[in-house]
Amino acid sequence: MNSGRKLGMVLLGAMLGTATAISVAQAAEPPLKVGLLEDVSGDLAFMGMPKLHGSQLAVEEINKSGGILGRQIELIHLDPQGDNARYQEFGRRLLNRDKVDVLIGGITSASREALRPIVDRTTTPYFYTNQYEGGVCDASMISMGAVPEQQFSTLIPWMVEKFGKKVYVIAADYNFGQISAEWNRKIMKDLGGEVVGEEFIPLGVSQFAQTIQNIQKAKPDWLLTINVGAAQDSFFEQAAAANLNLPMGSSIKVMLGFEHKRFKPPALNNMHATANWFEEIDTPEANEFKKRWHAKFPDELYINDMGYNAYNALYMYKALVEKAKSIKLEDMRKVIATGDACIDAPEGKVCIDPKSQHTSHRMRLISVGPKHEVKVEKDYGTIQPYWLGEIGCDLTKKNDKDQYTPSHLPKKS
Amino acid sequence: MSAELFSLFYQFADVFAFLILSAAGLAIVFGMMGVINMAHGEFIMCGAYVTVGLVNLGVPLAVAQILAAVTAGLIGVLVEFLVVRRFYKRPLDSLLATWGLSLIVTQSMLLIVGSAVRGIGTPEGSFVIGGYTFSTYRLVLFGCAVAVLAGLYIIFMKTRFGVIARATMQNAAMARALGARTGRIYAISFGIGTGLAGLCGALYAPTMTLIPTMGATFVVESFVTVVIGGANVLLGTAPAAVFLAMIRMALNASYGQIIGQIGMLVAVILIIRVLPEGLSSVLVRRGR
């Protein structure tokens, strides 16, 4: 009896001891907190869900392989539901209350611009994971997506050469659509082309009979479709029903909103787009990545470009922290300044450009056929995000915190 | 020239159909019954999802659309019995209750069916007039809108149910005293309203992206039309839709979608300022 009780005490003591040892180890190495702001409800949920999944997949993989500098990652995800005010509120909560070590996320350019001033008041790095209209020169922000010199400078010349010099633009009426349309005007002018019509559409508009008539009146050779969100995507179905039958080009269709998976063929027929990622890309690295993703999320309709970039963002963060041996933004920026901030992504090697803190990408142009089959038309190889550096943004020297466009360039000093 | 004229008519018919179909159900539920139904868009969404689900199961589109409208109507009767019934004397509380309902339904749909559903494609093809191509289905929608108006007229003006329903909405206590089963009348009217919302979703499902929040696209237009129309569904909603469609079509055609949307809302503000009771108040007074 007595010996039994003694044994019990020893066992209990041993258990307590182990528990204390584990908690001491955890206290010495607290997890890295990653704040994630992605819409998984609201109008953009269908695009935001893959972003959350990409982040979760990367966190799981990194944690399994030992974490970052031996520390595990704790993902704190909040859902701003597509509301820019909520982006700001949740951004503040993550930065000030949860004291996250890095902030990742945001879908629209409006949500990014809502977050940026809040991030700028802290020393926390912010990863924006979408392709966008380009031009943000801000030391706090690292941009993982493609920008106009990677998307429009490849797409528009190809469309002009293939289909003709007259383009009609339908664009969402906010900063992304307006600035992208400005890029199109500039590139078309350089090519000697003509913009025969531009229509800016308020978010939430879902009826396009008038737009379709306007397009037919203007008789363009092709359409640039940079309409955004589920409501505006209804354009494709309605244009197909009216037999509009024009070639289309876009910097956001197929790879972001997988319209070719959501609409019945042939609504997306003759669509052309350039991006650093399409799920249809067929290389050993891409296939291996897709296999891991679908194993974890079997119901995913499409691994979209922003979900893919969200996955890469965590690996880029890991690479920066490990090279800098620090989680401080200033130390990470010293690594970026060397030009050696690179990772081996499923698309190939991508690096952060020191001057703009944007990412180089291997760009491909795809076309969608009548049965919504996707064909890679052209592989442009790796394109640097050169534009900001050329016009005078140099984050290794000064922090502009500004967004530039072809009509708003930095002052020469 | 005739092509231009037809194009104008087509644009008008398109906006008119959208306004009538999104507002018809709300005209009964809000216009007549006085229930501020914030879940109107969710009944529209329900109609759209049921349609697409049935078509994917192999049901012909037209049948699926009718079944979707019926489904939305039956759910409406159930919702009336469980929730709305308690709020007839408290219109502002009905706003909160139905708003809560709409949030629950949207999020549940997101959890159950996911964030994106594959579309089914628009039927009927297209036709050509003078260099323009038009979608035939948009004219079908216009036809449906006119049919809905005619149907409402017959139900509420030509049937025994219509007479009792109008009496109930005007003075429930008196109608009850005269032997009308007002509870049942309310439930059926609410069901007709939500059934029409479901029909709207069913009709627009082949032309739109299906997401759980898609109902929101219709809600502003439907409330605007009903508020401008005023209390009398038949004399209010149709003239309001004609009026708003003219303004929107003209501005859309000359200045684009943004100005069209702004212009329509400005017109609404002006009308409510001049005619707080809506268009039907004038028409009813003229009629007397």
PDB file of all heavy atoms in Angstrom, chain A residues 155 158-159 162-163 222-225 246-255 268-274 278 364-369 375 377:
ATOM      1  N   LEU A 155       0.647  42.360 -71.374  1.00  0.00           N
ATOM      2  CA  LEU A 155      -0.677  42.051 -71.931  1.00  0.00           C
ATOM      3  C   LEU A 155      -1.071  42.976 -73.082  1.00  0.00           C
ATOM      4  O   LEU A 155      -1.486  42.520 -74.158  1.00  0.00           O
ATOM      5  CB  LEU A 155      -1.728  42.143 -70.819  1.00  0.00           C
ATOM      6  CG  LEU A 155      -3.178  41.971 -71.255  1.00  0.00           C
ATOM      7  CD1 LEU A 155      -3.462  40.510 -71.576  1.00  0.00           C
ATOM      8  CD2 LEU A 155      -4.139  42.470 -70.184  1.00  0.00           C
ATOM      9  N   TRP A 158       0.556  42.690 -76.504  1.00  0.00           N
ATOM     10  CA  TRP A 158       0.133  41.415 -77.099  1.00  0.00           C
ATOM     11  C   TRP A 158      -1.262  41.528 -77.685  1.00  0.00           C
ATOM     12  O   TRP A 158      -1.504  41.081 -78.804  1.00  0.00           O
ATOM     13  CB  TRP A 158       0.178  40.328 -76.016  1.00  0.00           C
ATOM     14  CG  TRP A 158       0.209  38.946 -76.562  1.00  0.00           C
ATOM     15  CD1 TRP A 158       1.327  38.253 -76.960  1.00  0.00           C
ATOM     16  CD2 TRP A 158      -0.894  38.074 -76.775  1.00  0.00           C
ATOM     17  NE1 TRP A 158       0.977  37.009 -77.399  1.00  0.00           N
ATOM     18  CE2 TRP A 158      -0.376  36.854 -77.299  1.00  0.00           C
ATOM     19  CE3 TRP A 158      -2.256  38.184 -76.584  1.00  0.00           C
ATOM     20  CZ2 TRP A 158      -1.189  35.771 -77.625  1.00  0.00           C
ATOM     21  CZ3 TRP A 158      -3.070  37.103 -76.900  1.00  0.00           C
ATOM     22  CH2 TRP A 158      -2.538  35.915 -77.422  1.00  0.00           C
ATOM     23  N   MET A 159      -2.176  42.174 -76.945  1.00  0.00           N
ATOM     24  CA  MET A 159      -3.554  42.325 -77.420  1.00  0.00           C
ATOM     25  C   MET A 159      -3.593  43.215 -78.661  1.00  0.00           C
ATOM     26  O   MET A 159      -4.330  42.937 -79.615  1.00  0.00           O
ATOM     27  CB  MET A 159      -4.446  42.940 -76.327  1.00  0.00           C
ATOM     28  CG  MET A 159      -4.663  42.101 -75.094  1.00  0.00           C
ATOM     29  SD  MET A 159      -5.467  40.513 -75.385  1.00  0.00           S
ATOM     30  CE  MET A 159      -7.157  41.011 -75.693  1.00  0.00           C
ATOM     31  N   LYS A 162      -2.243  41.332 -81.646  1.00  0.00           N
ATOM     32  CA  LYS A 162      -3.073  40.210 -82.055  1.00  0.00           C
ATOM     33  C   LYS A 162      -4.457  40.661 -82.567  1.00  0.00           C
ATOM     34  O   LYS A 162      -4.979  40.099 -83.512  1.00  0.00           O
ATOM     35  CB  LYS A 162      -3.256  39.296 -80.857  1.00  0.00           C
ATOM     36  CG  LYS A 162      -3.839  37.965 -81.193  1.00  0.00           C
ATOM     37  CD  LYS A 162      -2.823  36.865 -80.975  1.00  0.00           C
ATOM     38  CE  LYS A 162      -3.424  35.527 -81.322  1.00  0.00           C
ATOM     39  NZ  LYS A 162      -2.448  34.471 -81.398  1.00  0.00           N
ATOM     40  N   PHE A 163      -5.040  41.678 -81.910  1.00  0.00           N
ATOM     41  CA  PHE A 163      -6.451  41.989 -82.212  1.00  0.00           C
ATOM     42  C   PHE A 163      -6.673  43.383 -82.792  1.00  0.00           C
ATOM     43  O   PHE A 163      -7.681  43.627 -83.432  1.00  0.00           O
ATOM     44  CB  PHE A 163      -7.314  41.807 -80.971  1.00  0.00           C
ATOM     45  CG  PHE A 163      -7.257  40.423 -80.412  1.00  0.00           C
ATOM     46  CD1 PHE A 163      -6.607  40.170 -79.216  1.00  0.00           C
ATOM     47  CD2 PHE A 163      -7.834  39.361 -81.096  1.00  0.00           C
ATOM     48  CE1 PHE A 163      -6.538  38.876 -78.709  1.00  0.00           C
ATOM     49  CE2 PHE A 163      -7.776  38.069 -80.598  1.00  0.00           C
ATOM     50  CZ  PHE A 163      -7.118  37.822 -79.397  1.00  0.00           C
ATOM     51  N   TRP A 222     -10.916  45.206 -79.101  1.00  0.00           N
ATOM     52  CA  TRP A 222     -10.900  44.315 -77.925  1.00  0.00           C
ATOM     53  C   TRP A 222     -11.292  45.099 -76.678  1.00  0.00           C
ATOM     54  O   TRP A 222     -11.366  46.324 -76.703  1.00  0.00           O
ATOM     55  CB  TRP A 222      -9.537  43.645 -77.756  1.00  0.00           C
ATOM     56  CG  TRP A 222      -8.354  44.560 -77.628  1.00  0.00           C
ATOM     57  CD1 TRP A 222      -7.730  45.245 -78.628  1.00  0.00           C
ATOM     58  CD2 TRP A 222      -7.648  44.894 -76.416  1.00  0.00           C
ATOM     59  NE1 TRP A 222      -6.679  45.978 -78.135  1.00  0.00           N
ATOM     60  CE2 TRP A 222      -6.599  45.772 -76.776  1.00  0.00           C
ATOM     61  CE3 TRP A 222      -7.783  44.527 -75.075  1.00  0.00           C
ATOM     62  CZ2 TRP A 222      -5.703  46.295 -75.836  1.00  0.00           C
ATOM     63  CZ3 TRP A 222      -6.893  45.039 -74.139  1.00  0.00           C
ATOM     64  CH2 TRP A 222      -5.866  45.916 -74.542  1.00  0.00           C
ATOM     65  N   LEU A 223     -11.556  44.344 -75.610  1.00  0.00           N
ATOM     66  CA  LEU A 223     -12.007  44.949 -74.347  1.00  0.00           C
ATOM     67  C   LEU A 223     -10.960  44.759 -73.273  1.00  0.00           C
ATOM     68  O   LEU A 223     -10.378  43.678 -73.168  1.00  0.00           O
ATOM     69  CB  LEU A 223     -13.252  44.220 -73.831  1.00  0.00           C
ATOM     70  CG  LEU A 223     -14.604  44.442 -74.445  1.00  0.00           C
ATOM     71  CD1 LEU A 223     -15.604  43.538 -73.727  1.00  0.00           C
ATOM     72  CD2 LEU A 223     -14.995  45.901 -74.251  1.00  0.00           C
ATOM     73  N   LEU A 224     -10.744  45.791 -72.473  1.00  0.00           N
ATOM     74  CA  LEU A 224      -9.940  45.609 -71.271  1.00  0.00           C
ATOM     75  C   LEU A 224     -10.920  45.520 -70.096  1.00  0.00           C
ATOM     76  O   LEU A 224     -11.631  46.482 -69.798  1.00  0.00           O
ATOM     77  CB  LEU A 224      -8.968  46.779 -71.071  1.00  0.00           C
ATOM     78  CG  LEU A 224      -8.043  46.638 -69.859  1.00  0.00           C
ATOM     79  CD1 LEU A 224      -7.061  45.487 -70.044  1.00  0.00           C
ATOM     80  CD2 LEU A 224      -7.277  47.928 -69.589  1.00  0.00           C
ATOM     81  N   THR A 225     -11.006  44.364 -69.452  1.00  0.00           N
ATOM     82  CA  THR A 225     -11.992  44.173 -68.387  1.00  0.00           C
ATOM     83  C   THR A 225     -11.295  44.193 -67.037  1.00  0.00           C
ATOM     84  O   THR A 225     -10.644  43.227 -66.646  1.00  0.00           O
ATOM     85  CB  THR A 225     -12.745  42.840 -68.553  1.00  0.00           C
ATOM     86  OG1 THR A 225     -11.797  41.786 -68.562  1.00  0.00           O
ATOM     87  CG2 THR A 225     -13.546  42.813 -69.833  1.00  0.00           C
ATOM     88  N   LEU A 246     -16.275  39.730 -78.299  1.00  0.00           N
ATOM     89  CA  LEU A 246     -15.036  40.484 -78.512  1.00  0.00           C
ATOM     90  C   LEU A 246     -13.910  39.823 -77.721  1.00  0.00           C
ATOM     91  O   LEU A 246     -14.146  39.251 -76.660  1.00  0.00           O
ATOM     92  CB  LEU A 246     -15.205  41.917 -78.009  1.00  0.00           C
ATOM     93  CG  LEU A 246     -15.912  42.911 -78.914  1.00  0.00           C
ATOM     94  CD1 LEU A 246     -16.190  44.195 -78.150  1.00  0.00           C
ATOM     95  CD2 LEU A 246     -15.070  43.212 -80.149  1.00  0.00           C
ATOM     96  N   PRO A 247     -12.681  39.916 -78.229  1.00  0.00           N
ATOM     97  CA  PRO A 247     -11.554  39.452 -77.417  1.00  0.00           C
ATOM     98  C   PRO A 247     -11.441  40.321 -76.164  1.00  0.00           C
ATOM     99  O   PRO A 247     -11.731  41.516 -76.211  1.00  0.00           O
ATOM    100  CB  PRO A 247     -10.339  39.660 -78.317  1.00  0.00           C
ATOM    101  CG  PRO A 247     -10.869  39.965 -79.663  1.00  0.00           C
ATOM    102  CD  PRO A 247     -12.256  40.470 -79.515  1.00  0.00           C
ATOM    103  N   MET A 248     -11.034  39.721 -75.055  1.00  0.00           N
ATOM    104  CA  MET A 248     -10.921  40.476 -73.807  1.00  0.00           C
ATOM    105  C   MET A 248      -9.532  40.279 -73.220  1.00  0.00           C
ATOM    106  O   MET A 248      -8.933  39.213 -73.367  1.00  0.00           O
ATOM    107  CB  MET A 248     -11.967  39.992 -72.801  1.00  0.00           C
ATOM    108  CG  MET A 248     -13.394  40.182 -73.263  1.00  0.00           C
ATOM    109  SD  MET A 248     -14.605  39.604 -72.055  1.00  0.00           S
ATOM    110  CE  MET A 248     -14.618  37.849 -72.351  1.00  0.00           C
ATOM    111  N   GLY A 249      -9.044  41.323 -72.563  1.00  0.00           N
ATOM    112  CA  GLY A 249      -7.777  41.220 -71.848  1.00  0.00           C
ATOM    113  C   GLY A 249      -7.977  41.736 -70.448  1.00  0.00           C
ATOM    114  O   GLY A 249      -8.856  42.569 -70.199  1.00  0.00           O
ATOM    115  N   SER A 250      -7.196  41.216 -69.488  1.00  0.00           N
ATOM    116  CA  SER A 250      -7.392  41.653 -68.108  1.00  0.00           C
ATOM    117  C   SER A 250      -6.162  41.372 -67.262  1.00  0.00           C
ATOM    118  O   SER A 250      -5.368  40.483 -67.554  1.00  0.00           O
ATOM    119  CB  SER A 250      -8.592  40.941 -67.496  1.00  0.00           C
ATOM    120  OG  SER A 250      -8.790  41.400 -66.185  1.00  0.00           O
ATOM    121  N   SER A 251      -6.017  42.173 -66.200  1.00  0.00           N
ATOM    122  CA  SER A 251      -4.945  41.920 -65.243  1.00  0.00           C
ATOM    123  C   SER A 251      -5.470  41.214 -64.003  1.00  0.00           C
ATOM    124  O   SER A 251      -4.720  40.950 -63.064  1.00  0.00           O
ATOM    125  CB  SER A 251      -4.287  43.247 -64.837  1.00  0.00           C
ATOM    126  OG  SER A 251      -5.236  44.066 -64.171  1.00  0.00           O
ATOM    127  N   ILE A 252      -6.782  40.952 -63.953  1.00  0.00           N
ATOM    128  CA  ILE A 252      -7.344  40.350 -62.738  1.00  0.00           C
ATOM    129  C   ILE A 252      -8.274  39.165 -62.996  1.00  0.00           C
ATOM    130  O   ILE A 252      -8.630  38.456 -62.057  1.00  0.00           O
ATOM    131  CB  ILE A 252      -8.118  41.407 -61.915  1.00  0.00           C
ATOM    132  CG1 ILE A 252      -9.134  42.133 -62.792  1.00  0.00           C
ATOM    133  CG2 ILE A 252      -7.188  42.373 -61.249  1.00  0.00           C
ATOM    134  CD1 ILE A 252     -10.038  43.075 -62.018  1.00  0.00           C
ATOM    135  N   LYS A 253      -8.659  38.960 -64.240  1.00  0.00           N
ATOM    136  CA  LYS A 253      -9.616  37.884 -64.493  1.00  0.00           C
ATOM    137  C   LYS A 253      -8.896  36.542 -64.608  1.00  0.00           C
ATOM    138  O   LYS A 253      -7.713  36.490 -64.919  1.00  0.00           O
ATOM    139  CB  LYS A 253     -10.412  38.164 -65.778  1.00  0.00           C
ATOM    140  CG  LYS A 253     -11.259  39.419 -65.692  1.00  0.00           C
ATOM    141  CD  LYS A 253     -12.222  39.357 -64.518  1.00  0.00           C
ATOM    142  CE  LYS A 253     -12.753  40.718 -64.157  1.00  0.00           C
ATOM    143  NZ  LYS A 253     -13.427  40.730 -62.853  1.00  0.00           N
ATOM    144  N   VAL A 254      -9.610  35.492 -64.395  1.00  0.00           N
ATOM    145  CA  VAL A 254      -9.147  34.099 -64.437  1.00  0.00           C
ATOM    146  C   VAL A 254      -8.279  33.764 -63.223  1.00  0.00           C
ATOM    147  O   VAL A 254      -8.650  32.932 -62.413  1.00  0.00           O
ATOM    148  CB  VAL A 254      -8.385  33.766 -65.742  1.00  0.00           C
ATOM    149  CG1 VAL A 254      -7.972  32.304 -65.753  1.00  0.00           C
ATOM    150  CG2 VAL A 254      -9.269  34.049 -66.945  1.00  0.00           C
ATOM    151  N   MET A 255      -7.121  34.477 -63.050  1.00  0.00           N
ATOM    152  CA  MET A 255      -6.216  34.055 -61.985  1.00  0.00           C
ATOM    153  C   MET A 255      -6.693  34.508 -60.602  1.00  0.00           C
ATOM    154  O   MET A 255      -6.327  33.901 -59.612  1.00  0.00           O
ATOM    155  CB  MET A 255      -4.784  34.521 -62.266  1.00  0.00           C
ATOM    156  CG  MET A 255      -4.446  35.945 -61.891  1.00  0.00           C
ATOM    157  SD  MET A 255      -5.415  37.149 -62.817  1.00  0.00           S
ATOM    158  CE  MET A 255      -4.200  37.888 -63.857  1.00  0.00           C
ATOM    159  N   LEU A 268     -16.481  33.162 -70.753  1.00  0.00           N
ATOM    160  CA  LEU A 268     -15.124  33.735 -70.643  1.00  0.00           C
ATOM    161  C   LEU A 268     -14.289  33.454 -71.892  1.00  0.00           C
ATOM    162  O   LEU A 268     -13.067  33.665 -71.892  1.00  0.00           O
ATOM    163  CB  LEU A 268     -14.426  33.149 -69.413  1.00  0.00           C
ATOM    164  CG  LEU A 268     -14.373  34.012 -68.149  1.00  0.00           C
ATOM    165  CD1 LEU A 268     -13.198  34.980 -68.212  1.00  0.00           C
ATOM    166  CD2 LEU A 268     -15.649  34.758 -67.869  1.00  0.00           C
ATOM    167  N   ASN A 269     -14.930  32.980 -72.947  1.00  0.00           N
ATOM    168  CA  ASN A 269     -14.205  32.661 -74.163  1.00  0.00           C
ATOM    169  C   ASN A 269     -13.420  33.889 -74.651  1.00  0.00           C
ATOM    170  O   ASN A 269     -13.908  35.007 -74.580  1.00  0.00           O
ATOM    171  CB  ASN A 269     -15.210  32.228 -75.242  1.00  0.00           C
ATOM    172  CG  ASN A 269     -14.515  31.851 -76.539  1.00  0.00           C
ATOM    173  OD1 ASN A 269     -13.360  31.436 -76.519  1.00  0.00           O
ATOM    174  ND2 ASN A 269     -15.225  32.010 -77.650  1.00  0.00           N
ATOM    175  N   ASN A 270     -12.195  33.630 -75.149  1.00  0.00           N
ATOM    176  CA  ASN A 270     -11.378  34.698 -75.725  1.00  0.00           C
ATOM    177  C   ASN A 270     -10.891  35.712 -74.689  1.00  0.00           C
ATOM    178  O   ASN A 270     -10.659  36.872 -75.013  1.00  0.00           O
ATOM    179  CB  ASN A 270     -12.148  35.397 -76.843  1.00  0.00           C
ATOM    180  CG  ASN A 270     -11.266  35.679 -78.036  1.00  0.00           C
ATOM    181  OD1 ASN A 270     -10.041  35.525 -77.940  1.00  0.00           O
ATOM    182  ND2 ASN A 270     -11.856  36.094 -79.130  1.00  0.00           N
ATOM    183  N   MET A 271     -10.756  35.297 -73.441  1.00  0.00           N
ATOM    184  CA  MET A 271     -10.164  36.147 -72.400  1.00  0.00           C
ATOM    185  C   MET A 271      -8.654  35.898 -72.369  1.00  0.00           C
ATOM    186  O   MET A 271      -8.211  34.764 -72.529  1.00  0.00           O
ATOM    187  CB  MET A 271     -10.793  35.798 -71.048  1.00  0.00           C
ATOM    188  CG  MET A 271     -10.109  36.431 -69.852  1.00  0.00           C
ATOM    189  SD  MET A 271     -10.240  38.224 -69.838  1.00  0.00           S
ATOM    190  CE  MET A 271     -11.869  38.432 -69.143  1.00  0.00           C
ATOM    191  N   HIS A 272      -7.900  36.999 -72.186  1.00  0.00           N
ATOM    192  CA  HIS A 272      -6.445  36.884 -72.096  1.00  0.00           C
ATOM    193  C   HIS A 272      -5.982  37.590 -70.838  1.00  0.00           C
ATOM    194  O   HIS A 272      -6.495  38.655 -70.501  1.00  0.00           O
ATOM    195  CB  HIS A 272      -5.768  37.502 -73.320  1.00  0.00           C
ATOM    196  CG  HIS A 272      -6.260  36.909 -74.605  1.00  0.00           C
ATOM    197  ND1 HIS A 272      -7.498  37.209 -75.123  1.00  0.00           N
ATOM    198  CD2 HIS A 272      -5.703  35.997 -75.431  1.00  0.00           C
ATOM    199  CE1 HIS A 272      -7.680  36.519 -76.229  1.00  0.00           C
ATOM    200  NE2 HIS A 272      -6.613  35.779 -76.440  1.00  0.00           N
ATOM    201  N   ALA A 273      -5.030  36.998 -70.150  1.00  0.00           N
ATOM    202  CA  ALA A 273      -4.574  37.608 -68.902  1.00  0.00           C
ATOM    203  C   ALA A 273      -3.116  37.265 -68.665  1.00  0.00           C
ATOM    204  O   ALA A 273      -2.635  36.218 -69.104  1.00  0.00           O
ATOM    205  CB  ALA A 273      -5.422  37.101 -67.739  1.00  0.00           C
ATOM    206  N   THR A 274      -2.419  38.181 -67.988  1.00  0.00           N
ATOM    207  CA  THR A 274      -1.046  37.869 -67.598  1.00  0.00           C
ATOM    208  C   THR A 274      -0.932  37.873 -66.088  1.00  0.00           C
ATOM    209  O   THR A 274      -1.486  38.735 -65.417  1.00  0.00           O
ATOM    210  CB  THR A 274      -0.011  38.876 -68.148  1.00  0.00           C
ATOM    211  OG1 THR A 274      -0.547  40.188 -67.992  1.00  0.00           O
ATOM    212  CG2 THR A 274       0.321  38.616 -69.587  1.00  0.00           C
ATOM    213  N   PHE A 278      -1.207  30.858 -62.404  1.00  0.00           N
ATOM    214  CA  PHE A 278      -2.532  30.319 -62.705  1.00  0.00           C
ATOM    215  C   PHE A 278      -2.508  28.888 -62.197  1.00  0.00           C
ATOM    216  O   PHE A 278      -1.468  28.244 -62.247  1.00  0.00           O
ATOM    217  CB  PHE A 278      -2.799  30.298 -64.215  1.00  0.00           C
ATOM    218  CG  PHE A 278      -2.786  31.649 -64.852  1.00  0.00           C
ATOM    219  CD1 PHE A 278      -1.637  32.140 -65.449  1.00  0.00           C
ATOM    220  CD2 PHE A 278      -3.929  32.436 -64.859  1.00  0.00           C
ATOM    221  CE1 PHE A 278      -1.620  33.390 -66.028  1.00  0.00           C
ATOM    222  CE2 PHE A 278      -3.918  33.685 -65.445  1.00  0.00           C
ATOM    223  CZ  PHE A 278      -2.767  34.171 -66.019  1.00  0.00           C
ATOM    224  N   ARG A 364       3.387  34.918 -67.131  1.00  0.00           N
ATOM    225  CA  ARG A 364       2.881  34.128 -68.261  1.00  0.00           C
ATOM    226  C   ARG A 364       1.595  34.750 -68.780  1.00  0.00           C
ATOM    227  O   ARG A 364       0.822  35.317 -68.004  1.00  0.00           O
ATOM    228  CB  ARG A 364       2.587  32.707 -67.817  1.00  0.00           C
ATOM    229  CG  ARG A 364       3.810  31.859 -67.575  1.00  0.00           C
ATOM    230  CD  ARG A 364       3.365  30.477 -67.155  1.00  0.00           C
ATOM    231  NE  ARG A 364       4.480  29.541 -67.050  1.00  0.00           N
ATOM    232  CZ  ARG A 364       5.199  29.375 -65.946  1.00  0.00           C
ATOM    233  NH1 ARG A 364       4.949  30.084 -64.868  1.00  0.00           N
ATOM    234  NH2 ARG A 364       6.186  28.486 -65.922  1.00  0.00           N
ATOM    235  N   LEU A 365       1.363  34.624 -70.090  1.00  0.00           N
ATOM    236  CA  LEU A 365       0.110  35.078 -70.676  1.00  0.00           C
ATOM    237  C   LEU A 365      -0.714  33.852 -71.038  1.00  0.00           C
ATOM    238  O   LEU A 365      -0.215  32.931 -71.693  1.00  0.00           O
ATOM    239  CB  LEU A 365       0.376  35.932 -71.921  1.00  0.00           C
ATOM    240  CG  LEU A 365      -0.842  36.654 -72.507  1.00  0.00           C
ATOM    241  CD1 LEU A 365      -0.412  37.982 -73.117  1.00  0.00           C
ATOM    242  CD2 LEU A 365      -1.584  35.844 -73.550  1.00  0.00           C
ATOM    243  N   ILE A 366      -1.971  33.855 -70.586  1.00  0.00           N
ATOM    244  CA  ILE A 366      -2.822  32.705 -70.890  1.00  0.00           C
ATOM    245  C   ILE A 366      -4.027  33.170 -71.705  1.00  0.00           C
ATOM    246  O   ILE A 366      -4.385  34.346 -71.698  1.00  0.00           O
ATOM    247  CB  ILE A 366      -3.318  31.985 -69.628  1.00  0.00           C
ATOM    248  CG1 ILE A 366      -4.070  32.939 -68.717  1.00  0.00           C
ATOM    249  CG2 ILE A 366      -2.170  31.345 -68.868  1.00  0.00           C
ATOM    250  CD1 ILE A 366      -5.539  32.848 -68.790  1.00  0.00           C
ATOM    251  N   SER A 367      -4.656  32.229 -72.389  1.00  0.00           N
ATOM    252  CA  SER A 367      -5.919  32.534 -73.068  1.00  0.00           C
ATOM    253  C   SER A 367      -6.948  31.489 -72.651  1.00  0.00           C
ATOM    254  O   SER A 367      -6.591  30.354 -72.320  1.00  0.00           O
ATOM    255  CB  SER A 367      -5.721  32.533 -74.576  1.00  0.00           C
ATOM    256  OG  SER A 367      -5.460  31.214 -75.010  1.00  0.00           O
ATOM    257  N   VAL A 368      -8.220  31.911 -72.647  1.00  0.00           N
ATOM    258  CA  VAL A 368      -9.305  31.005 -72.292  1.00  0.00           C
ATOM    259  C   VAL A 368     -10.076  30.676 -73.565  1.00  0.00           C
ATOM    260  O   VAL A 368     -10.426  31.572 -74.333  1.00  0.00           O
ATOM    261  CB  VAL A 368     -10.249  31.649 -71.260  1.00  0.00           C
ATOM    262  CG1 VAL A 368     -11.386  30.698 -70.900  1.00  0.00           C
ATOM    263  CG2 VAL A 368      -9.479  32.055 -70.014  1.00  0.00           C
ATOM    264  N   GLY A 369     -10.333  29.415 -73.776  1.00  0.00           N
ATOM    265  CA  GLY A 369     -11.020  28.966 -74.990  1.00  0.00           C
ATOM    266  C   GLY A 369     -12.519  28.830 -74.789  1.00  0.00           C
ATOM    267  O   GLY A 369     -13.029  29.053 -73.698  1.00  0.00           O
ATOM    268  N   LYS A 375      -4.955  27.971 -71.937  1.00  0.00           N
ATOM    269  CA  LYS A 375      -3.729  27.639 -72.662  1.00  0.00           C
ATOM    270  C   LYS A 375      -2.679  28.704 -72.340  1.00  0.00           C
ATOM    271  O   LYS A 375      -2.980  29.893 -72.358  1.00  0.00           O
ATOM    272  CB  LYS A 375      -4.050  27.672 -74.162  1.00  0.00           C
ATOM    273  CG  LYS A 375      -2.999  27.068 -75.038  1.00  0.00           C
ATOM    274  CD  LYS A 375      -3.535  26.937 -76.466  1.00  0.00           C
ATOM    275  CE  LYS A 375      -2.553  27.581 -77.420  1.00  0.00           C
ATOM    276  NZ  LYS A 375      -3.155  27.975 -78.682  1.00  0.00           N
ATOM    277  N   GLU A 377      -0.085  30.985 -73.520  1.00  0.00           N
ATOM    278  CA  GLU A 377       0.283  31.470 -74.854  1.00  0.00           C
ATOM    279  C   GLU A 377       1.742  31.904 -74.907  1.00  0.00           C
ATOM    280  O   GLU A 377       2.391  31.791 -75.930  1.00  0.00           O
ATOM    281  CB  GLU A 377      -0.602  32.679 -75.243  1.00  0.00           C
ATOM    282  CG  GLU A 377      -2.076  32.359 -75.349  1.00  0.00           C
ATOM    283  CD  GLU A 377      -2.449  31.820 -76.712  1.00  0.00           C
ATOM    284  OE1 GLU A 377      -1.581  31.782 -77.601  1.00  0.00           O
ATOM    285  OE2 GLU A 377      -3.622  31.422 -76.887  1.00  0.00           O
TER     286      GLU A 377
END
